[in-house]
Amino acid sequence: MTNKGRDILAGLSVAGLMLPEAIAYSGIAGVPPQHALYAAVAGCLVYAVLGRSRFAIISPTSSSAAILAAMLVALVPEPGQKMLLVAVVVFFVGLLFLAAGLLKLGALSSVISRPVLRGFTFGLAILITLKQFPLISGVSTTGAGTFETIWRIMTNPDQWNTYSLSVAAAALAFLLAMRRIPQLPASLVVLALVIPVSILLNLQDKGVAIVGSIDLSGIWGSFTAISFDELSHVARFAPPLVLILFAESWGTIRGLSLRHGENVDANNELKALGIANLASAALQGMPVGAGFSAGAASEAANPQTRFASAVAAVGLAIFCLVASTWFAYIPQAALSAIIIVALLHALDPSPLIRLWRLKHDLILALGATAGVLFFGVLDGMVAAIVLSFAVFLRRLSSPLIMVLGRLGSSHNFVDLKRHPDAEAPAGIMVLRPAQPLFFGNAEPIFADITRLILANPDTNTAIVSLEETFELDTTALDALLEFDANLRKRNITIRYARMHDAVRDVLALGGGEDLLRRANYSVDDAVTALEKTREQT
């Protein structure tokens, strides 16, 4: 089969997953399904032209749908106005992506540490899954919070709808069984099976919630209907949408590219995502990104070029035009099953178990999970970002000073605590701060170094290795100069090693010429210089 033939088959297979997922994610967000479909078509077409990964599928995602739902829950707009507000926030998202790409802020995804992002994603997946229970059980819990809803459902089994439960159970069983055949668009097959069942058994009259008619002409609003308060409300949701979409998208794109030897650039992907979201906003569609489940389905279908993304967009449009009248009969319970299976990768606790085994960062991940579960999506996102920065600053500002010794007869100097076979140079204490010096830690680090030197009265010679510090801010510069002057007043000979050129430049401009004369590029050279000075005296 030719590459183009493979791309056509792969694109149609992915379209089969995109169709039910788009409808399902529109339900999470609380927007008409046709606008999720518009977004998926626009995202795939734009990425086919501007993207770099042949596997990435740009369409609505579950995480962005949840944040969008959090945005809309505080508003009570008319349907047309609602979609206009969605278009505004997606437009802001597109602009932020585009600006970040043009400014080469490709490292934006690392604003949230991976453990925190995993915890947030895990909590979000739990939250979205719990929100499917009313549709699966058929129990109406209008106005109740998530946990209150689950409690009402579990304590009122007499209200459960047998038909809804049966549809969900059958769909779940089929989808889980078909995971062994990733090339098969199992979600589309589920819809093809449940629609005739819904019609033949008249499930709507039996209390089963269905999607309802989908008007492909869309629902449009007038821009004059938006107030300033509404505009400011939706604008504050754009940054968290950008963060979660790029973190999810870049994680998916980079993971796929590494496995298949593709070269992708984060800044280019930012620009592609920006234009894709601007295109979605023009159609009043949902925010779009590279979701994991769609990317995994694309990888399984093995497209050869990005042409498959364009085929997926066209295939989705054809599905909608040919079968949109049938979509009205899709039971919501079946869509809930599709959402749950699509989220299984995010519900996998393996990443958290790995953190537990490594004995690192588990508290961070669990804190992010708790944040989204108890504070909601937006506040949970903010809590996750704050948690990442707090841990980052705590680690940078917590002094850790290593005392170094020579390893055998080599020129290597290592931490004496971890290498008991290493030996400190006779009469010389060699110290190395484990963190880069900056305004938040410079003074306590130099205070600790001073205490360590003064604690050994037999030592009046020391070397400070600054290899972890690549540049100095003015606070760190002043702390270094004060530290040096303080030790010299105490008649302690001090030299410096592993000082980077950028640090030397700052010292030369900041009055540290004398200090520079006592600086070496290696610890071994500094030790040699001190030993020669000792011999001369």
Side-chain angles (χ1 to χ4, degrees), residues 203-279:
L203 293 180
Q204 185 177 11
D205 288 347
K206 293 177 171 62
V208 178
I210 62 172
V211 170
S213 60
I214 297 179
D215 182 5
L216 292 179
S217 61
I219 300 173
W220 309 92
S222 170
F223 189 78
T224 57
I226 298 180
S227 68
F228 179 77
D229 288 343
E230 290 172 329
L231 193 62
S232 60
H233 172 77
V234 300
R236 69 190 183 97
F237 282 83
L241 275 168
V242 169
L243 286 174
I244 193 65
L245 276 171
F246 187 55
E248 181 179 17
S249 300
W250 181 240
T252 299
I253 292 169
R254 185 173 178 273
L256 291 169
S257 299
L258 286 174
R259 284 200 293 272
H260 296 276
E262 289 183 323
N263 291 319
V264 291
D265 175 67
N267 295 310
N268 181 79
E269 298 305 301
L270 277 168
K271 289 183 277 190
L273 288 170
I275 296 174
N277 276 281
L278 290 175

Side-chain angles (χ1 to χ4, degrees), residues 85-389:
L85 292 170
V86 170
V88 169
V89 75
V90 177
F91 177 75
F92 287 153
V93 167
L95 287 182
L96 289 175
F97 266 130
L98 199 54
L102 293 173
L103 294 172
K104 301 187 182 301
L105 302 178
L108 186 67
S109 61
S110 59
V111 168
I112 308 177
S113 70
R114 289 192 180 186
V116 171
L117 180 62
R118 286 173 183 142
F120 177 82
T121 305
F122 186 65
L124 188 61
I126 293 173
L127 193 64
I128 294 172
T129 300
L130 293 177
K131 287 181 179 293
Q132 306 313 307
F133 278 51
L135 296 172
I136 290 174
S137 65
V139 178
S140 176
T141 55
T142 306
T146 303
F147 294 105
E148 183 183 353
T149 295
I150 299 303
W151 176 254
R152 288 186 189 179
I153 292 172
M154 299 307 295
T155 55
N156 293 280
D158 55 306
Q159 297 180 17
W160 296 356
N161 186 298
T162 305
Y163 291 96
S164 286
L165 288 169
S166 299
V167 168
L172 277 171
F174 180 83
L175 290 167
L176 292 173
M178 288 300 101
R179 294 186 79 195
R180 299 178 181 179
I181 314 175
Q183 297 84 356
L184 181 71
S187 300
L188 187 62
V189 175
V190 165
L191 295 191
L193 293 173
V194 299
I195 288 174
V197 171
S198 177
I199 296 171
L200 290 173
L201 298 181
N202 199 10
L203 293 180
Q204 185 177 11
D205 288 347
K206 293 177 171 62
V208 178
I210 62 172
V211 170
S213 60
I214 297 179
D215 182 5
L216 292 179
S217 61
I219 300 173
W220 309 92
S222 170
F223 189 78
T224 57
I226 298 180
S227 68
F228 179 77
D229 288 343
E230 290 172 329
L231 193 62
S232 60
H233 172 77
V234 300
R236 69 190 183 97
F237 282 83
L241 275 168
V242 169
L243 286 174
I244 193 65
L245 276 171
F246 187 55
E248 181 179 17
S249 300
W250 181 240
T252 299
I253 292 169
R254 185 173 178 273
L256 291 169
S257 299
L258 286 174
R259 284 200 293 272
H260 296 276
E262 289 183 323
N263 291 319
V264 291
D265 175 67
N267 295 310
N268 181 79
E269 298 305 301
L270 277 168
K271 289 183 277 190
L273 288 170
I275 296 174
N277 276 281
L278 290 175
S280 179
L283 299 174
Q284 297 193 1
M286 293 173 60
V288 293
F292 180 87
S293 56
S298 176
E299 181 184 32
N302 194 27
Q304 301 304 298
T305 68
R306 291 192 304 279
F307 178 65
S309 179
V311 172
V314 173
L316 179 60
I318 292 172
F319 287 154
C320 293
L321 291 172
V322 171
S324 62
T325 55
W326 299 100
F327 296 165
Y329 300 101
I330 299 174
Q332 292 283 6
L335 290 179
S336 293
I338 291 171
I339 291 173
I340 292 171
V341 173
L343 290 173
L344 284 180
H345 70 281
L347 290 166
D348 182 2
S350 298
L352 302 184
I353 294 173
R354 177 174 178 267
L355 294 177
W356 174 71
R357 288 174 177 166
L358 291 173
K359 298 180 181 179
H360 277 82
D361 298 329
L362 179 61
I363 298 299
L364 294 181
L366 294 179
T369 300
V372 70
L373 288 176
F374 294 104
F375 301 133
V377 176
L378 181 60
D379 290 341
M381 181 66 158
V382 172
I385 296 171
V386 170
L387 192 59
S388 287
F389 274 108

Side-chain angles (χ1 to χ4, degrees), residues 500-517:
H500 294 273
D501 288 337
V503 175
R504 291 171 177 264
D505 293 341
V506 173
L507 281 167
L509 294 171
E513 294 86 355
D514 180 62
L515 189 150
L516 286 173
R517 285 191 285 270

Side-chain angles (χ1 to χ4, degrees), residues 40 398 468:
S398 300
E468 301 295 338

